[in-house]
Amino acid sequence: MFRFLTAGESHGPALTAIIEGIPAGLALDLDQINADMARRQQGFGRGGRMKIEKDKAEITSGVRFGVTLGSPITMLIHNRDWDNWQERMAVFGQPQGEPIRAPRPGHADLPGVLKYQRQDIRDILERASARETAARVAVGAVAKQLLAVAGITITSRVLNIGGAQTEEEMLEAIAKAKAAGDSLGGIFEVVVAQVMPGLGSHVQWDRRLDTRLAAAVMSIQAIKGVEFGAGFAYANLSGSQVHDEIYYEGSQGYCRRTNNAGGIEGGISNGEAIIIKAVMKAIPTLMKPLATVNIADKSEEKANTERSDVCAVAAAAVVAEAMVAIVMVQCLLEKFGGDSIDDLRLAINNYRIRIND
């Protein structure tokens, strides 16, 4: 079983990820992991934090001479900004700095302090921050290298920023939002290619591949909607217009000439590319803050401002690649098992032969 945990606060010493379930014998490329982490930090509209952090993963267990051992893999991503936050984020000692009392609309600030009975919003926002996704991208980069054993690839692209759909219009919209002290969201797409049919299952709700992928993408901060293939366009079309007709083409086996289903039918991959779109809301931290209520005295004031991005849709797409890769690895290992990479390859090859008979 493949599973992972992350830990760490945005301005703490480091983020930590622990992965369990990667088979033994997978040759890991650390440069590929760090390349994905660098991609997460890019994109027009990112904030000042990206000028400080140069994210790199340090692997401290589960790998020897570049090859996985089958034991848990631990990765550390050090926060360079920790040097500036040691007093305010110290693990022990007396609290330093002014507590934050003005929750941001649209953020975890207020529900978090109510749930966990905190008096300083920083106790919530540090973990709720999208900085945590750096650890998820590191995990996803390992998952991608395992998927490559099966020939599966994952890519993403940005489709829409604040209503703009061309690169020039997107850049202009972000620049205008920054000048206005505002922020923007948008839509991105993730494509999983070369997926064999048969991943996921129809037999229980929580084993359906689309259920699991939707939950994984929705777990990313600020994501508010997910669709597969034609998605919400299904509402306006008849069955004869949207269902993908089935053909058989010799050595290629079963295939479709359209992909409105987005590669999943009945909760199971059907052999076509899996196509996922997601919408990210505008970031809640605004340089011209919205109205809120002080949690200490209930007085009206402006929301807290933290150093933040104007737009992070491109970064969210990279995080979504990671989360999709994680789910795909879980489903791959559930179907084919294997304590070693060679066992996994053999099982996949035998399955491909069977379904193409």
Side-chain angles (χ1 to χ4, degrees):
M1 181 176 71
F2 180 94
R3 59 182 179 173
F4 77 101
L5 287 173
T6 71
E9 284 72 46
S10 179
H11 294 100
L15 299 170
T16 304
I18 299 177
I19 310 171
E20 186 176 30
I22 293 289
L26 176 66
L28 281 186
D29 187 334
L30 186 59
D31 289 341
Q32 286 188 25
I33 296 172
N34 288 332
D36 265 7
M37 299 192 71
R39 289 176 59 225
R40 191 196 71 90
Q41 295 190 276
Q42 297 169 5
F44 188 65
R46 301 305 304 277
R49 182 75 183 271
M50 297 305 105
K51 297 177 182 178
I52 298 172
E53 305 295 347
K54 302 295 180 186
D55 290 340
K56 293 185 181 297
E58 176 186 348
I59 298 177
T60 61
S61 75
V63 177
R64 185 166 183 252
F65 304 125
V67 178
T68 60
L69 305 177
S71 53
I73 298 171
T74 304
M75 293 189 286
L76 290 175
I77 301 104
H78 294 281
N79 291 329
R80 294 175 65 178
D81 207 16
W82 163 245
D83 292 342
N84 303 315
W85 287 78
Q86 292 189 42
E87 290 186 357
R88 283 172 287 179
M89 290 297 296
V91 177
F92 296 104
Q94 294 299 311
Q96 302 293 319
E98 289 296 317
I100 296 174
R101 308 289 199 198
R104 292 162 290 179
H107 206 279
D109 294 353
L110 182 58
V113 295
L114 294 174
K115 175 178 174 65
Y116 290 97
Q117 198 178 5
R118 310 312 299 158
Q119 306 305 314
D120 184 346
I121 293 170
R122 186 162 298 285
D123 292 345
I124 302 301
L125 68 84
E126 284 287 333
R127 180 60 182 171
S129 166
R131 174 70 185 151
E132 175 266 343
T133 62
R136 292 202 243 174
V137 169
V139 175
V142 173
K144 285 181 182 179
Q145 294 186 44
L146 179 57
L147 291 175
V149 172
I152 298 171
T153 61
I154 300 178
T155 56
S156 68
R157 60 176 179 152
V158 175
L159 301 177
N160 181 312
I161 297 289
Q165 297 183 16
T166 69
E167 183 176 1
E168 183 178 352
E169 291 171 339
M170 291 178 189
L171 295 176
E172 183 180 354
I174 294 169
K176 286 182 178 179
K178 182 177 182 180
D182 214 335
S183 62
L184 288 176
I187 297 171
F188 60 81
E189 178 183 80
V190 177
V191 177
V192 189
Q194 306 303 316
V195 184
M196 70 282 290
L199 300 186
S201 178
H202 66 288
V203 301
Q204 294 289 354
W205 68 272
D206 57 346
R207 293 181 60 190
R208 298 175 69 93
L209 181 57
D210 41 5
T211 297
R212 298 168 71 171
L213 287 170
V217 175
M218 284 294 295
S219 75
I220 301 166
Q221 291 86 336
I223 301 303
K224 301 300 285 185
V226 177
E227 67 176 17
F228 293 86
F232 285 96
Y234 274 117
N236 305 318
L237 300 170
S238 66
S240 60
Q241 291 175 300
V242 298
H243 295 305
D244 305 306
E245 294 182 301
I246 303 170
Y247 300 89
Y248 190 85
E249 297 185 356
S251 61
Q252 295 183 28
Y254 297 103
C255 64
R256 319 295 173 103
R257 294 172 187 168
T258 58
N259 190 16
N260 292 315
I264 301 174
E265 292 175 303
I268 307 170
S269 63
N270 65 10
E272 301 297 322
I274 295 173
I275 301 174
I276 307 165
K277 296 186 184 73
V279 60
M280 181 185 191
K281 69 178 180 180
I283 293 167
T285 301
L286 305 179
M287 294 304 104
K288 289 187 177 179
L290 300 174
T292 190
V293 174
N294 187 297
I295 62 171
D297 62 16
K298 309 304 185 290
S299 61
E300 294 183 8
E301 61 177 272
K302 293 296 183 180
N304 174 58
T305 56
E306 291 279 314
R307 177 178 54 202
S308 185
D309 303 319
V310 176
C311 180
V313 178
V318 177
V319 180
E321 287 181 26
M323 294 307 299
V324 168
I326 288 164
V327 171
M328 296 305 296
V329 162
Q330 288 172 338
C331 292
L332 190 76
L333 293 176
E334 285 168 10
K335 177 156 185 60
F336 298 109
D339 295 315
S340 75
I341 288 298
D342 286 345
D343 290 344
L344 177 62
R345 281 197 183 97
L346 182 61
I348 292 171
N349 289 338
N350 288 338
Y351 178 73
R352 290 190 187 278
I353 292 169
R354 178 179 72 75
I355 63 174
N356 286 325
D357 278 348

